[in-house]
């Protein structure tokens, strides 16, 4: 995927396919590769755009979710895109919601999977411990229903992030920002169609969170994936893509 990343101004991003645009936003410990299967499946039907979010590089005092939403607004202006569907996982879903609240005219549809915005048990009541790789390994494992998905590569990436003091400060700032920016009061005003795809075994944003999103969003459809944790598009990509394809076909036709 690295060869497909475009660099233009301050923005690094993937932009493949053509037609109806879908902007994908990754989570706090996520990256562009988390959506490999989504990209490869849907780029033949839609325009798939995945920006690299500056979660770990923004000035500390400006490291919060509304600032990331403003970054996305600037990105859309940069690539001359007026409106798109937004697909967000975890913190990426939360950014999508804040963006939709601030700039509703730019959001055609919302697709949320394991999204924060109402509640997130990000660190299980504790904070990342610098230099404790087993702690990080265990935290990566709870992201998935099947721990085999917590590969050494993912653990090493997360460990490298939490071992960097400057990056760790930004992670904690974003985690606090997510808690501060609870979206419960804003969701009933979001009238765009929404698709919720949730792991039944998600313990970071548990099933009751998905139920609450379904209740508060006026036009939401909720779909479950069994034996699945916090990242359905990684753990069960075929089922995730099947659900999303059917929902988009229903909405766009």
């Amino acid at each position: 995927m690295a060869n497909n990343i475009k660099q233009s101004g301050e923005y690094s991003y993937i932009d493949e396919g053509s037609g109806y645009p879908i902007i994908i936003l990754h989570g706090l410990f996520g990256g562009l590769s988390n959506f490999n299967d989504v990209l490869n499946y849907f780029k033949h039907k839609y325009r798939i755009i995945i920006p690299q979010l500056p979660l770990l590089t923004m000035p500390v005092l400006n490291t919060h979710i509304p600032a990331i939403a403003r970054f996305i607004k600037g990105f859309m202006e940069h690539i001359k895109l007026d409106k798109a569907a937004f697909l967000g996982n975890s913190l990426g879903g939360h950014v999508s919601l804040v963006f939709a609240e601030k700039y509703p005219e730019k959001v055609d549809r919302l697709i949320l999977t394991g999204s924060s915005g109402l509640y997130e048990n990000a660190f299980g009541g504790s904070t990342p411990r610098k230099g404790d790789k087993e702690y990080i390994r265990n935290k990566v494992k709870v992201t998935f229903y099947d721990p085999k998905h917590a590969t050494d590569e993912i653990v090493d990436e997360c460990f490298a992030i939490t071992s960097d003091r400057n990056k760790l400060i930004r992670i904690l700032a974003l985690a606090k920002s997510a808690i501060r920016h609870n979206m419960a009061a804003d969701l009933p005003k979001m009238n765009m169609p929404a698709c919720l795809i949730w792991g039944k075994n998600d313990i970071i944003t548990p099933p009751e969170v998905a139920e609450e999103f379904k209740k508060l969003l006026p036009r939401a459809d909720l779909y479950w994936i069994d034996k699945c944790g916090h990242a359905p598009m990684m753990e069960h990509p075929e089922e995730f893509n099947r659900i999303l394809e059917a929902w988009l076909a229903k909405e766009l036709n």
Side-chain angles (χ1 to χ4, degrees):
M1 180 178 277
N3 292 335
N4 298 328
I5 296 177
K6 298 181 179 182
Q7 184 71 45
S8 180
E10 63 178 304
Y11 305 106
S12 298
Y13 60 100
I14 291 166
D15 188 347
E16 295 193 27
S18 60
Y20 184 74
I22 302 173
I23 292 177
I24 298 178
L25 303 184
H26 61 79
L28 182 55
F29 284 96
L32 309 188
S33 63
N34 289 18
F35 292 92
N36 273 347
D37 290 295
V38 175
L39 170 67
N40 291 330
Y41 188 84
F42 285 104
K43 67 183 181 180
H44 304 292
K45 296 185 176 184
Y46 305 111
R47 181 183 177 189
I48 305 299
I49 305 159
I50 316 177
Q52 180 69 58
L53 301 181
L55 305 181
L56 305 177
T57 57
M58 298 181 79
V60 173
L61 294 178
N62 206 33
T63 300
H64 48 70
I65 292 175
I68 304 296
R70 289 194 294 272
F71 173 87
I72 295 300
K73 181 175 182 288
F75 171 68
M76 289 183 74
E77 291 169 353
H78 185 78
I79 63 172
K80 296 179 172 57
L81 183 62
D82 293 328
K83 195 170 189 175
F86 276 73
L87 162 55
N89 172 243
S90 197
L91 187 82
H94 202 158
V95 173
S96 299
L97 290 166
V98 171
F99 186 87
E101 187 270 326
K102 290 183 175 296
Y103 314 107
E105 72 282 358
K106 294 187 173 296
V107 180
D108 191 49
R109 286 167 176 80
L110 281 170
I111 303 139
L112 305 175
T113 182
S115 177
S116 58
L118 292 175
Y119 168 82
E120 182 179 28
N121 182 27
F123 301 121
S126 61
T127 55
R129 302 171 188 169
K130 183 179 178 183
D132 189 342
K133 194 167 188 177
E134 280 312 299
Y135 173 89
I136 298 300
R137 186 180 302 279
N138 289 331
K139 289 303 173 186
V140 172
K141 282 182 179 178
V142 302
T143 302
F144 304 101
Y145 172 80
D146 188 340
K148 76 177 183 183
H149 295 282
T151 63
D152 288 340
E153 181 182 3
I154 294 175
V155 172
D156 288 344
E157 287 175 2
C158 293
F159 180 69
I161 291 170
T162 58
S163 297
D164 184 312
R165 181 177 177 274
N166 290 325
K167 291 179 179 178
L168 182 56
I169 288 170
R170 287 166 173 80
I171 286 171
L172 297 177
L174 285 165
K176 290 177 182 176
S177 177
I179 293 169
R180 284 197 305 271
H181 289 86
N182 185 285
M183 303 298 293
D186 301 301
L187 297 180
K189 295 176 279 187
M190 296 184 185
N191 290 312
M192 65 284 290
C195 176
L196 310 173
I197 306 176
W198 232 263
K200 276 190 177 179
N201 309 94
D202 187 345
I203 62 175
I204 296 175
T205 49
E208 55 266 30
V209 174
E211 296 282 7
E212 190 70 7
F213 271 119
K214 172 73 167 66
K215 184 174 79 172
L216 292 173
L217 285 163
R219 301 173 63 188
D221 297 310
L222 173 56
Y223 304 92
W224 299 103
I225 298 180
D226 198 15
K227 296 182 179 179
C228 182
H230 188 57
M233 70 287 176
M234 297 174 70
E235 196 161 10
H236 291 282
E238 290 183 3
E239 190 167 0
F240 181 92
N241 290 341
R242 178 187 61 77
I243 291 170
L244 180 54
E245 181 177 38
W247 185 80
L248 286 169
K250 171 176 74 80
E251 285 293 321
L252 297 175
N253 292 331

